[in-house]
């Protein structure tokens, strides 16, 4: 008997139980699939159902919005308040808890990526087991350092193990977007699939996994988990850093400028966020830099 | 004085001592280079000789069969019974013991890969130090999950460290064949070499290694071993899982269907095993899936 | 207030403080940018200044010599004697100490690579956080095993984690040069940039990093450090192996032959060192190998 009922309603995604072994989830939270406390609460419930579902082999996560897989966290338009979410069953704060439980679930999770997945969106795909991405239409990134905070949902732990020190530091510190080819080259995703074949190929993989023996999948995955997953103790401190740095007045001011520039809305700013986030950086810094450049020119 | 005598006879491979520092081994076990208890026993002896040979710098393993490097384990046509092999000098069961000792030997082992290496064949190449593969003619894979068992010879430990979590999970859980270009992209092999240059380039590498100082090689390798090799304690439990799952009636029935389809024989089924293994999956599952699909269609 | 004063003079590199957050260092030690005790002592001072500079976000290291980024260590033309350098603040010997402190500094270090970086030159770029390399004009390698010693500055620890066991063993044991495309494929560098765009692109990355919040960078990097950097205890023993093997009469004789062939001078030998180092291997070995080959031919 399946425990994930398809007739339960969700607000930030749709759930389609394709067969007793295979569940398909489509993010659909207009306008740009931001993640809010509601998304986290619903994902927490969904992962709880996945954990208890002894029939389930595979869950695919895709997006109804071709431009945005999961834009990033939206702390502003967040009616039920992220901090009120508290901690989940692992004892970690709710967002990290969702990602930890998804990664450890005895089920193959597949991110089928079209469009942008930055910040918490990237953290979500990094917590999935397999990542397949559109060759022509993918932008991934961890933009947090560019807005003065530490990424809170585990990408230091996950990217370091997945792509190695040099490329992880580039993704995290330069904080720019990676397009599909670079994401594939770096190992950020498993591999690219042509945009018009992505759905069919992911469907074929999921259908294949749905036919395999559940215990063989669950046990094999658990051995990979032992080698590749971070200990929970790695994940708490960065979250606290995120909260501490985000509360600084300078970051609050930068957040206000980001909103003025178009953050959380469907437009050119969000589409080019990796490059354009510099427009939100403190103005005095720009002045100072220009002044020094000018000095340099005068001196030479 | 060399301890690997070239005049000893072996049944599943040939040994050519090219010079006192360089030994060449060619798998030759018709029709498709399956691995049986005999192969394991002979490899265990060979690795013992390699471990004691203070002159030896490098061992190359290639195949006399251009279509099959090492097909996979053959539990059926196995006159001296795998389980009777017991444990090796490491205290691990014989097959794992061979792989662990080869990886730790103070000698550079090179897999020069043409054709198919699946299951235990893939486990063997993963235990070699360097893997060079034919660009046009390579298929690698861990098919075990597709036939309802956990891979027993250590690929969760080795692939997780070699290619990272996402790609390791794909190889192990989707359980399909990877061709040369994908194996290279994922880091499953060091790199591809054009089919008609593979022998010459591997020969040049081996000859170069044969001229280097033995201690410099052995000590440098041992430092890499410390960082990259799994602890032996990781390797025992999956082997026990393999045996437990394999003995289930459903897996015995699937094995019988695999044999009917052409497993262990030189033919189209073995050539396309990654894709065609689904034909051996339980029929009632197919019926059930079709029924549910039908329901879905009727409902919509 | 910056602690790295641009008016201090250095002999093996130039330092340009481009702004209070961004420092540019150019190696300039003719004829081929070898590393000597002087380089190590100066780098140790520079890293000390970097560690204390609370303003600094990013340091770029490039080379004034387009053919040689950092050739390798030069033990011969070394007026102030490497061994006299003793240990640094970490308690590790001076060269390893410099690399460990650079990697742990709360600053993003970028190697902008043109030309050759072998041996200690490769060890330096591996200790940098990000490595960008000229597509057309890069040669990287750890040549030490080819001259009978263990690499002393940590590449077993760093490459094993960066590129995985198989490719690390190939780089370290085959000890040949990797050109740009192979270095990128293996993950030895982050990625390649066309020769004529390298400076502009690295400048854009550094300028971007210079505008970001220092704490966000420092804390995020420290979490990656925790996962990806080797423990100091891994780094001491290979250095002792290097010294022990290097002092052997056979290695001293090989060093003399290397000097006769053109080591440490700007010429064809240094340009093709990865391939040509075999010319310095012991002559009796060659004779022996030829004799055995001859035997083989006569026997067949």
């Amino acid at each position: 008997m399946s425990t994930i009922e398809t007739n339960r309603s969700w607000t930030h995604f749709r759930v389609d139980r394709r067969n007793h072994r295979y569940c398909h989830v489509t993010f659909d939270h207009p306008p740009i699939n931001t993640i809010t406390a509601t998304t986290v609460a619903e994902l927490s419930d969904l992962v709880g159902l996945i954990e208890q579902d002894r029939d389930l082999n595979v869950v695919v996560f895709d997006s109804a919005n071709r431009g945005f897989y999961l834009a990033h966290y939206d702390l502003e338009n967040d009616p039920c308040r992220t901090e009120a979410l508290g901690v989940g069953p692992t004892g970690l704060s709710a967002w990290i808890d969702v990602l930890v439980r998804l990664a450890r679930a005895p089920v193959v999770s597949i991110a089928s990526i079209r469009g942008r997945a930055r910040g918490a969106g990237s953290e979500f795909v990094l917590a999935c087991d397999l990542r397949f991405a559109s060759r022509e239409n993918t932008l991934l990134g961890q933009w947090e350092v560019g807005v003065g905070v530490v990424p809170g949902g585990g990408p230091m732990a996950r990217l370091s193990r997945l792509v190695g020190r040099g490329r992880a530091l580039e993704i995290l510190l330069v904080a720019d977007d990676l397009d599909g080819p670079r994401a594939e080259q770096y190992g950020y995703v498993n591999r690219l699939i042509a945009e018009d074949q992505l759905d069919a190929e992911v469907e074929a993989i999921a259908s294949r996994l749905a036919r395999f023996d559940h215990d063989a999948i669950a046990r094999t995955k658990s051995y990979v988990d032992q080698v590749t997953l971070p200990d929970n103790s790695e994940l708490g401190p960065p979250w606290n850093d995120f909260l501490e740095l985000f509360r600084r007045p300078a970051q609050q001011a930068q957040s206000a400028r980001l909103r003025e520039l178009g953050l959380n809305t469907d437009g050119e700013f969000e589409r080019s966020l990796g490059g354009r986030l510099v427009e939100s950086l403190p103005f005095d810094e720009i002045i100072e830099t220009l002044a020094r450049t000018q000095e340099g020119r005068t001196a030479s």
Side-chain angles (χ1 to χ4, degrees), chain A:
Chain A
M1 197 38 223
S2 308
T3 58
I4 303 178
E5 300 297 338
T6 55
N7 56 359
R8 163 159 178 185
S9 78
W10 309 85
T11 63
H12 286 195
F13 46 79
R14 302 191 301 265
V15 174
D16 175 19
R17 184 71 177 235
R18 299 227 168 146
N19 66 49
H20 67 305
R21 292 280 177 82
Y22 169 20
C23 183
H24 195 103
V25 180
T26 301
F27 292 114
D28 191 8
H29 176 219
I32 58 169
N33 279 349
T34 56
I35 298 166
T36 70
T38 303
T39 327
V40 177
E42 290 191 339
L43 281 173
S44 182
D45 287 352
L46 180 69
V47 172
L49 294 172
I50 288 171
E51 287 171 319
Q52 295 160 33
D53 194 327
R54 302 209 166 184
D55 277 342
L56 197 64
N57 278 4
V58 56
V59 185
V60 171
F61 293 92
D62 67 7
S63 166
N65 183 328
R66 300 177 86 85
F68 293 88
Y69 183 81
L70 285 170
H72 48 69
Y73 215 98
D74 174 0
L75 282 160
E76 186 197 10
N77 304 303
D78 186 1
C80 69
R81 309 291 307 145
T82 293
E83 294 196 38
L85 288 168
V87 300
T90 60
L92 293 161
S93 61
W95 175 237
I96 305 176
D97 173 82
V98 165
L99 302 180
V100 164
R101 289 192 293 130
L102 178 63
R104 293 201 182 276
V107 166
V108 188
S109 51
I110 302 179
S112 177
I113 307 167
R114 268 200 190 84
R116 291 149 188 84
R118 301 187 183 106
S122 164
E123 290 166 359
F124 179 83
V125 303
L126 287 169
C128 287
D129 296 326
L130 314 184
R131 284 163 292 286
F132 300 106
S134 161
R135 182 174 303 280
E136 302 88 354
N137 178 23
T138 295
L139 285 179
L140 296 174
Q142 297 287 158
W143 69 312
E144 290 92 333
V145 167
V147 292
V149 297
V150 166
M156 287 80 83
R158 295 191 200 278
L159 278 171
S160 292
R161 289 171 169 86
L162 196 63
V163 308
R165 173 176 174 83
R167 289 168 173 177
L169 284 171
E170 181 184 352
I171 296 166
L172 291 160
L173 301 180
V174 180
D176 209 342
D177 296 334
L178 284 82
D179 63 11
R182 186 159 298 163
E184 181 186 55
Q185 176 192 31
Y186 279 22
Y188 201 157
V189 298
N190 283 49
R191 55 188 165 91
L192 301 178
I193 299 172
E195 170 84 0
D196 60 2
Q197 294 166 23
L198 180 64
D199 294 340
E201 191 161 337
V202 170
E203 179 67 22
I205 291 167
S207 298
R208 180 176 167 101
L209 284 162
R211 295 188 60 195
F212 289 171
D213 181 72
H214 180 79
D215 285 346
I217 289 175
R219 294 196 196 189
T220 301
K221 177 174 166 179
S222 77
Y223 289 115
V224 175
D225 289 352
Q226 289 172 25
V227 183
T228 59
L229 289 180
D231 191 86
N232 287 359
S233 64
E234 268 184 55
L235 300 169
W239 179 258
N240 293 331
D241 276 301
F242 164 71
L243 293 176
E244 178 192 337
L245 297 186
F246 183 70
R247 288 174 185 138
R248 292 182 297 180
Q251 268 48 61
Q252 292 298 310
Q254 189 173 3
S255 288
R257 287 192 295 276
L258 287 164
R259 288 193 296 271
E260 287 165 23
L261 287 162
L263 197 75
N264 299 325
T265 63
D266 189 2
E268 190 48 36
F269 186 74
E270 276 281 0
R271 291 186 179 270
S272 311
L273 185 59
R276 293 195 58 188
L277 66 85
V278 295
E279 298 170 28
S280 71
L281 289 169
F283 192 57
D284 56 348
E285 288 283 302
I286 300 171
I287 294 292
E288 188 176 19
T289 303
L290 287 171
R292 283 162 187 270
T293 308
Q294 196 59 39
E295 266 177 58
R297 278 185 192 143
T298 312
S300 66

